[in-house]
Amino acid sequence: MRYALISDVHANLPALEAVLVALDARSDVDAVYHLGDLVGYAPWPDEVVALLRDRGIPGVAGNYDSTTATDYEHCGCRYEDPRQEELSHLSYGWTRDHTSVETKRWLGGLPFRIDLRPLGGHTAGPKLALVHGNPVLNTVYWTEDRSDDFCRKMAARLEAKPGDVVAFGHTHRPWHREVGGIQFLNTGSVGRPKDGDPRTGYATVAFEEGEVSVEIVRLEYDVARAAAGIRASELPDDFAGILERGGTPL
Ligand SMILES: [Fe+2]
């Protein structure tokens, strides 16, 4: 059983389309799940949600989804300087104003966490747990430099055991490591990478014959189309440059 995991699409329709085309071209992917943050920063929130709904792709709520759904006062995003704070508010305000009531209702219905049983659940087989940020809050960043102890604490919240996989996004930087026999996988970002690589990406997790294998994939997409869409909208042009640079600092 191989799962494809896509996270942090952030209303970037060209990036999502490229990932779905790539997944369609593979014959070894059995199911696709998203890990939240479907909207924000780019001009296609309704289109991204409609495409995922059309394709029947389930997933969990990111901080951007649950706050947009409820018209919460802030998106729960982190910022490091006053300009980033200003941009964060502009993106969130635009997204709240340009996301339909129907889309908000659907975003509001996304679960916080999904547990999958690749072997069907009738045996005590491995578990794949999906959350957006971490199992406690979807706003906390689970970065690669977190300690093994942090990973163990998060695993305990999910009742994860050796052989299980915990997958999450939110930081927009993919990474993977094993701690105590549990695989921890940050699936990166489809629509707003922050690791200096502007390509889109996804991850897969495969369970076969007692073995777990994890794969992080990056691929080109039409960044120019995404950037042009942002520049043609009332969103700040800064967001186009961030996509073109792969999120490197301004
Ligand atoms: Fe995000």
Side-chain angles (χ1 to χ4, degrees):
M1 185 75 190
R2 184 185 297 274
Y3 300 91
L5 305 176
I6 59 177
S7 190
D8 295 270
V9 178
H10 281 300
N12 186 337
L13 186 65
L16 176 62
E17 288 174 346
V19 166
L20 294 179
V21 165
L23 292 177
D24 286 346
R26 293 180 64 147
S27 57
D28 62 344
V29 170
D30 300 298
V32 184
Y33 283 80
H34 73 78
L35 299 189
D37 267 11
L38 304 177
V39 301
Y41 303 111
W44 299 282
D46 287 335
E47 292 85 349
V48 159
V49 167
L51 182 52
L52 292 171
R53 292 179 71 175
D54 283 352
R55 299 279 298 235
I57 296 175
V60 297
N63 53 296
Y64 229 108
D65 308 315
S66 51
T67 53
T68 298
T70 57
D71 285 327
Y72 190 68
E73 60 187 334
H74 185 270
C75 62
C77 315
R78 182 175 62 181
Y79 37 78
E80 275 135 20
D81 57 56
R83 178 60 179 154
Q84 276 191 27
E85 180 176 2
E86 184 187 4
L87 289 171
S88 170
H89 290 310
L90 288 169
S91 166
Y92 186 54
W94 187 96
T95 300
R96 275 176 31 176
D97 291 347
H98 292 82
T99 301
S100 72
V101 171
E102 187 194 344
T103 297
K104 287 181 180 178
R105 196 172 289 139
W106 187 84
L107 291 172
L110 292 173
F112 183 83
R113 163 186 170 184
I114 293 177
D115 283 358
L116 300 166
R117 293 292 186 104
L119 302 186
H122 51 281
T123 65
K127 172 169 74 181
L128 169 59
L130 311 178
V131 293
H132 175 67
N134 74 31
V136 182
L137 292 171
N138 62 16
T139 48
V140 173
Y141 289 79
W142 195 343
T143 49
E144 191 167 10
D145 59 0
R146 290 282 195 181
S147 66
D148 287 358
D149 194 44
F150 181 90
C151 294
R152 281 191 207 95
K153 280 183 180 144
M154 293 299 114
R157 297 294 293 249
L158 294 162
E159 298 177 323
K161 62 186 185 313
D164 289 350
V165 180
V166 178
F168 46 93
H170 188 52
T171 70
H172 300 205
R173 295 166 187 258
W175 59 268
H176 163 240
R177 82 175 189 261
E178 183 179 328
V179 178
I182 301 170
Q183 309 284 331
F184 296 91
L185 171 63
N186 188 317
T187 59
S189 172
V190 169
R192 192 170 153 84
K194 290 184 182 171
D195 59 356
D197 181 348
R199 292 178 300 169
T200 184
Y202 65 92
T204 72
V205 182
F207 297 83
E208 44 199 345
E209 295 169 11
E211 289 291 311
V212 178
S213 57
V214 167
E215 168 193 39
I216 292 172
V217 180
R218 302 296 286 269
L219 60 143
E220 305 281 349
Y221 79 102
D222 194 346
V223 181
R225 184 179 150 217
I230 289 168
R231 292 192 171 104
S233 76
E234 290 162 352
L235 282 163
D237 288 355
D238 305 59
F239 296 145
I242 287 169
L243 291 189
E244 289 163 344
R245 291 190 301 274
T248 44
L250 294 169

